[in-house]
Amino acid sequence: MRRRAVQLLMCLLLTPACCALSVGAAFGADAAPGPPAAQDPEKDKAEEFKDSLIPGYDDAFIVQGKWAEGLAYYEEELVKILAAEKPDLAAGQRLLYAHDVCRLFPAVAKGVPSPDDRPFAQWLLQYPNLVRLLGAAVRPEDDAVGVFRVLYLLKVKGPLRKPAFENLMVALAVVYDKEVTAADLGGDGGKVMELFRYYVKHSAKFRDNPKSMPYFMLKYVVDNGVTAKERDWALKRYGGSTSVGQLYSSVPYDMKLKDEGESKNRRRLLEDGYTLENIKRYGGLCGDQSYFATRVCKSICIPAVGFGGRDTKTGTAHAWASAARKTGDGWRWTDAGRYGGTKGYVVGGARDPQTGKTMTDRECWLETQLSRVNATRRLRARFCLTGAILMEKRENVKRAAVYVRLATQLNPYNVDAWMMIARFCSERKLKTDTIWSFYEAMVERFKDYPQFTKGILDQLRELIPEDEIQKHAKLYDMTWEVYQKRHPDIGAQILAEKGDYLMARGQPKAALNVYADAVMRYRRNGPIMEVLLKRVEKVYRSRDAVKSYVKFVEQVMSAYRDQRAAAMKGVGHRSTTFYKLASHLRDLYVEIGDKRKARAYEKLLKPIKSKRR
C-alpha cells in the first residue's frame, strides 16, 4: 500500500511528457566522470602525508598561513580534478584536506593567544587525521574560534604529547566550543580538561574505548555535567554495566512524590545534594531515573541521551533514557522507561549537545547511522559533496548533480547530500523524471526517519505551481498515505499543512474541514490533537463563530471524560490533555456568558488544581 502511495505521489510530481529513465541517464551519464577509485573495494586506511603536506601541490600557502589565498588556489585545483574525465580521487582527497585547513584555520589566530597561534597551527598540521575529523565535524552552527580554543587547551594542559585520542578531542571541541573563553586558557582547563583526563585515564576500563569511538558518538558521552566524584562513584559501582534499563529501574520510584507533589525522600535528596549516589539512595520520578541512567552511562563511556515526550493517550509528560552500544554493523540505541515504545510515546525530544538546539530521537538515531559507513567512504563522500558545491558555484549543474549523487552512493546517510539533491529538484536544476526513483529509494532507506524524508518532500512540493490547488491538495493526501500508519505525528503535521495551504489560498471553509477532520482522526492522541485544535479555533474565531467552536470542543472532550481520575495522579497532572481541554472549555463558557457550564468545568478542575505540585 505504501509503495503504491509513493508511486502515485511521484506520478503527481512528474510532468505528463516525462518518461522513465535510468538514474545514470537522469543525471546526465554522458557527462559523468569515469568510475573513480571511490567505487573500488575499500582499503579503509586513511592516507598519511609524510614528505609533504599536500603531495603534488604547492603547500606554501599553508606553511606561511596565507589562508585566503590558499583557499582560492585549492578550490581551483579541486575544480580541475572534478572536471576531468576520470577524476583522480586520491589527489582530490589531499586537496580537500588543504581546503579544510584554509577554511578553518583563520579561526586559530582568533582563538589562540599570540604568539602561540602559529606554532599551534603547525602542531595541528602534524596530525592530518585530526584536521580531517575537524573538517567533517565542524558545522556552520559551531563556533570555530571556540573549537580551536578547546583544542589548544587540550594540547597545552593535556596528559598526552600527541593527540592519540583524536575523536575525543574533536567531540569535546564541538560540544564545549561556546563555553571555553579566553580567560579559561590561563587556568587549570576547567571542566573540559577534567573530562579529557578522566576518559583518557580510564579508557582501558571501558567496554568501548574512547580512543576508537567516532566523534559523533562521543559527543553523547562528553556532555556529562556531573562532578568528578560522581563519575568516579559511577565507574566504581557500574563499570561493567551494559544495561541502561537496569540503571533506569534501579532508582526507586517515589510514589508519594508522584501522588502528593512532595515526600520525605525528596526533601532528603535536596538537603543532602542532588548527586548520583543520593538519587540512587532516595529515588525520584521518571526525570530523576532518566538523569541517573544517562549520567552513569556517560561516566562509563556509553553514549546516552535523556528524552522527554508526552503519552499519546493522556498527554502526560514523561522522561526516559536511551543509550547506544556498538554492534557488528554500527551503533544501536536502546530505550529504557519508554513504556509502550514508540506507540506509547511517538517522538521524544532532547538537547543536541553540539548545537544546543532541540533534536528528536529520530534525528539522533539517523546521525548514528553514520557509524555503518567506514571512515574512508565518509571521507570520499564528503569530497564528492564538496565537488558538487564547487561545480554548482561555477554553474555546471549537470556535473554537480553527478557528484552529489556519488556522495549519496558512498555514504547513504549524508543528509547534506540528500538535501542538495532535493534543492536541485525544487529549483528544476534536474530533469523532473528523476524524482520517482530518487524519492522512492529514499523513503525506503529512511523509513524510520520521517522528519528527514518529510523535509525532502517539502522541497519537492515546489515543483507544483502554487495556484494549482487541486494538485497540491492531492499531493498532501498522497503524502499523508505514506506516513500516517507508522508515524501519526508526521501524518497530523501533513494534514495541518494542507489546511494552512488552503487558508493561504483563501479557502477557510475547506481548511476548517481539513483541520476538524484531523482533530477527530487524532483526538485519542492528545499532544497531536492539541496542536490541530488551535488551528480549528483560529478559523472559527475568524468567522465569529465561537459558539460553534465550543460545540466542536465538547465533541473532542467526550473522548477524555473517562480520564479525570488519571489526570489527578502525579505531579504532571496539569500537562494532561483532560486538564487542558477542561480548562479551555471553562474559559470558553466564561467568554460566551454561560456561567452554569463554566462553573461545572471549574468543579471538575478544582480537585486537580488543589493538588500540590
Side-chain angles (χ1 to χ4, degrees), residues 224-243:
N224 187 3
V226 299
T227 65
K229 184 178 179 181
E230 290 177 273
R231 286 194 296 272
D232 292 339
W233 177 86
L235 178 62
K236 182 177 180 180
R237 187 177 180 105
Y238 297 102
S241 176
T242 59
S243 171

Side-chain angles (χ1 to χ4, degrees), residues 37-186:
Q39 304 200 43
D40 293 339
E42 296 293 336
K43 296 183 180 179
D44 291 342
K45 289 188 177 180
E47 198 176 357
E48 294 293 342
F49 308 135
K50 297 178 180 177
D51 300 326
S52 170
L53 290 173
I54 313 101
Y57 296 94
D58 187 355
D59 61 5
F61 300 105
I62 292 178
V63 173
Q64 297 172 22
K66 296 181 178 179
W67 312 125
E69 295 93 326
L71 188 64
Y73 168 75
Y74 297 124
E75 274 195 10
E76 288 303 320
E77 293 299 321
L78 273 170
V79 169
K80 291 177 185 177
I81 289 176
L82 294 165
E85 184 177 349
K86 288 189 176 292
D88 183 345
L89 197 60
Q93 288 175 196
R94 291 197 293 271
L95 284 170
L96 178 62
Y97 166 82
H99 186 269
D100 284 341
V101 170
C102 292
R103 176 173 61 88
L104 295 172
F105 274 41
V108 172
K110 298 178 182 178
V112 177
S114 180
D116 292 348
D117 51 339
R118 289 299 302 277
F120 175 66
Q122 295 301 322
W123 176 82
L124 283 173
L125 292 171
Q126 297 177 47
Y127 306 100
N129 192 53
L130 176 58
V131 177
R132 288 195 197 94
L133 289 174
L134 285 172
V138 177
R139 301 190 63 82
E141 305 95 321
D142 292 315
D143 179 359
V145 173
V147 166
F148 285 110
R149 192 173 282 151
V150 172
L151 292 174
Y152 175 74
L153 190 66
L154 298 178
K155 174 195 179 286
V156 173
K157 301 184 182 298
L160 305 174
R161 296 185 64 183
K162 60 181 182 178
F165 289 76
E166 294 159 324
N167 280 280
L168 178 60
M169 294 175 72
V170 171
L172 285 164
V174 297
V175 170
Y176 293 101
D177 55 322
K178 297 178 179 67
E179 293 187 27
V180 175
T181 65
D184 295 322
L185 300 181

Side-chain angles (χ1 to χ4, degrees), residues 437-449:
S437 60
F438 152 63
Y439 187 72
E440 187 174 16
M442 187 191 65
V443 167
E444 182 59 32
R445 179 175 291 278
F446 297 103
K447 58 188 176 183
D448 292 326
Y449 312 104

